[in-house]
Amino acid sequence: MADNFNFELVSPERLLLSEMVTEVVIPATDGEMTVMANHAPTMTTIKPGIVSVRSANGSKQDYVVFGGFADILPTGCTLLAESAVIVQDLSKDEMTLRIEAAKREIEDAVHHEHKSRLEHYIMELTHLQGVINPD
């Protein structure tokens, strides 16, 4: 049986989750990461994606995050998301609005680096939209 550890998912609006879990899969910038109890201390940035949480009772819940960072310790993990929502609560329209807002921001971007980051962000959101709402 896997050891449990404390996981917290926090967005600027609220604390979405704080409970004992057996594993969490996070969309780290350098690739998907599975966090379990006794994980080596790590701090990583988070890209838009799905966070899968396996609770200590065996249930699984997925959340969509739109960037942020995670602080991982052997005894727990805290993910501070720029924005987060339960997958089932995210509408296709909301994803479309986020993509359109990023496209408008590109039009006003002055620096090439900022435009490049926004283009990458749009690519990630578009991919995420296809995963969440396959048509």
Side-chain angles (χ1 to χ4, degrees):
M1 183 172 188
D3 290 339
N4 298 330
F5 65 99
N6 189 54
F7 174 68
E8 291 189 338
L9 176 58
V10 183
S11 75
E13 299 85 27
R14 64 190 171 118
L15 173 66
L16 277 94
L17 181 68
S18 178
E19 69 179 59
M20 297 303 286
V21 301
T22 57
E23 73 176 40
V24 178
V25 179
I26 59 175
T29 304
D30 292 331
E32 216 171 62
M33 237 177 120
T34 300
V35 179
M36 299 179 83
N38 304 309
H39 194 286
T42 307
M43 187 168 268
T44 185
T45 53
I46 302 296
K47 66 181 181 179
I50 297 174
V51 174
S52 294
V53 180
R54 175 80 55 195
S55 296
N57 67 13
S59 66
K60 183 177 174 257
Q61 179 66 57
D62 292 337
Y63 298 83
V64 177
V65 294
F66 297 96
F69 72 92
D71 184 19
I72 303 164
L73 298 169
T75 57
C77 174
T78 301
L79 194 154
L80 301 173
E82 291 175 15
S83 180
V85 64
I86 296 172
V87 168
Q88 296 90 330
D89 294 346
L90 184 67
S91 71
K92 187 173 184 177
D93 291 340
E94 184 177 342
M95 286 297 292
T96 301
L97 289 173
R98 286 177 183 268
I99 292 168
E100 289 172 358
K103 287 179 179 178
R104 284 191 304 274
E105 193 175 340
I106 282 179
E107 294 172 8
D108 297 333
V110 176
H111 301 290
H112 175 72
E113 184 179 303
H114 186 217
K115 280 186 180 183
S116 180
R117 277 196 310 267
L118 286 168
E119 288 168 350
H120 189 74
Y121 183 70
I122 291 168
M123 180 190 70
E124 290 171 336
L125 289 180
T126 303
H127 172 75
L128 183 58
Q129 184 177 38
V131 169
I132 295 170
N133 300 306
D135 288 333

